[in-house]
Amino acid sequence: AAKAALSMRVRCFKCLDCARLFESKPEACERRGHTLEMAFGMRRCFACGKCGKSTYSLERRPRGACACGADAWRNRENDSDVRAVAAPDAFRPALAEWTSTSDVSALVNNI
């Protein structure tokens, strides 16, 4: 569920002269007489490695730097902190079912 929203196949415009994909018809390419065609592309979610701001791009990596000045984009689809939300009735093992007894007692005694 959550991972599915981080990338999706979308219909886009492809400029054959610029070799770029656009979500809306690029006016600059039209003015210059470039050849445009409809295509399908993968819209991916990226996060800035410095400030964490999210953005979407049809390219493998967003062009340019973030507003904070960093040019360190990471694909949110690969983030380990992004998880699908489990159904409320899904089985969740108790702490003692996957942790040794000594680890559980150490946790309980330290709390």
Side-chain angles (χ1 to χ4, degrees):
K3 283 206 180 234
L6 296 177
S7 67
M8 61 176 34
R9 189 171 179 214
V10 295
R11 203 162 163 90
C12 58
F13 291 91
K14 181 179 183 179
C15 177
L16 300 178
D17 298 314
C18 296
R20 290 191 61 193
L21 297 174
F22 299 91
E23 290 193 54
S24 59
K25 201 168 197 177
E27 292 178 21
C29 292
E30 264 190 326
R31 280 195 310 270
R32 294 180 184 127
H34 290 184
T35 307
L36 298 171
E37 65 180 30
M38 292 298 292
F40 284 98
M42 191 61 88
R43 184 176 189 236
R44 297 174 182 90
C45 183
F46 293 87
C48 174
K50 183 177 178 185
C51 70
K53 180 183 176 218
S54 292
T55 188
Y56 287 91
S57 177
L58 291 172
E59 314 224 356
R60 298 225 179 259
R61 183 181 176 285
R63 289 179 179 246
C66 177
C68 72
D71 191 11
W73 297 105
R74 67 179 197 275
N75 190 335
R76 292 278 315 273
E77 197 172 25
N78 300 331
D79 282 357
S80 60
D81 63 336
V82 178
R83 296 180 201 91
V85 178
D89 59 342
F91 174 74
R92 292 185 188 98
L95 182 64
E97 291 178 333
W98 53 269
T99 310
S100 70
T101 308
S102 59
D103 289 343
V104 171
S105 58
L107 287 170
V108 172
N109 292 336
N110 288 336
I111 294 176

